[in-house]
Amino acid sequence: MSDEGTDQEGQIREPDRAASGAPAAGWAIGDRFSTTEIFQRLLASADEEVATGTTELLFSGVAAGFAIVLTFVGHAVGSALFPNNGFLAAILYPLGFVYIILGRYQLYTENTLPPVALVLARLASLPLLLRVWGIVLFANVIGAGLGAFILANSHVLSTTAMHAGAEFTRSGLEHAWWDVFFKALFAGWLVAGVVWLSIAAQDTIARLLLIYSVFYMIAAAELYHVVTTAADALFFVFLDVPSPGLFVVFYEFWLPVLLGNTVGGVFLVALVNYGQTEQRRFPEVRELSAREVLFSWKGGRSHTTPRPYVEENEPETD
């Protein structure tokens, strides 16, 4: 098979070449997206996120928070069965994330990091980004809290598994604040990588293996994800065991996880993925001004067709 083809006049044309002289397109690399193509698909996905209505964000976020309880259950059961083997104890940890990501639920970090790229490209405003973050995080915690409350006040888990589940927060509180933050920072970096790579993947099996391996590593390396940590912490608070109190658990454990995940994920999106993309500006799309980026509620339109650049005093046409 050749990259060569013919033009409209029937003349044989030379194949497109990269700077190295290798073919820039064709059957040899046709199954891989370029960095710019991945970035454009990321923007399209992010545009859908910021355009989603409040009710849809809430319900999808609650569903994601409740589904993350499957991760808590799997991790607690694995830790009960293999108390001295963290490698095996983490084997069921990714289950909730598989449900959430393949099901396209709204999860803080996984679905809320792409809009950062939209803000960097000046296609959506910062207040719009913070709106999505706030609604999804709130809904995730509500869903995780509901599941944790049911587990703490029922016999779904064995006694051994319940003790193992309580140990997640107890051991987290033993770490210094900054240790928890940096563990969460690396977890946020990993999750942002899942977002980028899952867009590059072109089939469900590849996405499934990606999701499983990355989130398995988070548990096996004893890193922290903010929504899973919310389920861990609320389960611990709801249990009838001696507890330092909700505020201490929030400040000493959950807050550094939230900040670490956010900083780690935004760092990867902003400085790695965005920085390596050649096309960061799109002339056919109306970009927001600096004032609009900071203070408006603009953004979140479909990328299925280019948004026309609207000159001042000229009506926008569809």
Side-chain angles (χ1 to χ4, degrees), residues 54-177:
T54 300
T55 301
E56 291 81 0
L57 284 175
L58 278 171
F59 277 100
S60 185
V62 170
F66 195 74
I68 210 70
V69 175
L70 296 175
T71 280
F72 173 81
V73 170
H75 199 195
V77 170
S79 298
L81 292 175
F82 305 104
N84 300 315
N85 191 327
F87 189 82
L88 292 177
I91 198 167
L92 295 177
Y93 180 87
L95 183 59
F97 293 98
V98 171
Y99 269 79
I100 292 166
I101 297 175
L102 294 185
R104 298 297 302 272
Y105 299 160
Q106 294 288 342
L107 180 70
Y108 189 81
T109 63
E110 197 277 331
N111 275 358
T112 52
L113 287 175
V116 174
L118 211 60
V119 174
L120 292 172
R122 290 169 55 183
L123 300 179
S125 67
L126 184 60
L128 206 60
L129 168 67
L130 297 178
R131 166 190 170 269
V132 174
W133 280 9
I135 293 173
V136 171
L137 181 61
F138 172 78
N140 286 167
V141 173
I142 293 298
L146 177 61
F149 181 81
I150 294 172
L151 291 176
N153 292 277
S154 68
H155 298 287
V156 174
L157 295 174
S158 67
T159 302
T160 306
M162 293 183 76
H163 286 310
E167 190 61 30
F168 299 152
T169 299
R170 189 176 289 111
S171 63
L173 289 170
E174 293 174 354
H175 294 297
W177 198 97

Side-chain angles (χ1 to χ4, degrees), residues 193-279:
V194 169
V195 176
W196 184 263
L197 294 176
S198 63
I199 292 174
Q202 298 189 36
D203 61 81
T204 303
I205 297 300
R207 292 189 181 96
L208 178 62
L209 293 175
L210 171 68
I211 295 166
Y212 183 87
S213 59
V214 169
F215 285 99
Y216 175 83
M217 180 178 175
I218 288 177
E222 297 183 356
L223 307 179
Y224 297 116
H225 182 273
V226 61
V227 184
T228 309
T229 299
D232 297 345
L234 291 172
F235 177 80
F236 182 73
V237 170
F238 291 144
L239 278 178
D240 188 18
V241 296
S243 169
L246 181 61
F247 178 79
V248 173
V249 172
F250 166 80
Y251 178 77
E252 295 291 341
F253 187 40
W254 189 75
L255 181 60
V257 174
L258 169 63
L259 297 177
N261 279 180
T262 304
V263 171
V266 170
F267 177 83
L268 182 63
V269 171
L271 298 186
V272 181
N273 295 341
Y274 179 76
Q276 71 174 329
T277 303
E278 293 182 4
Q279 184 181 6

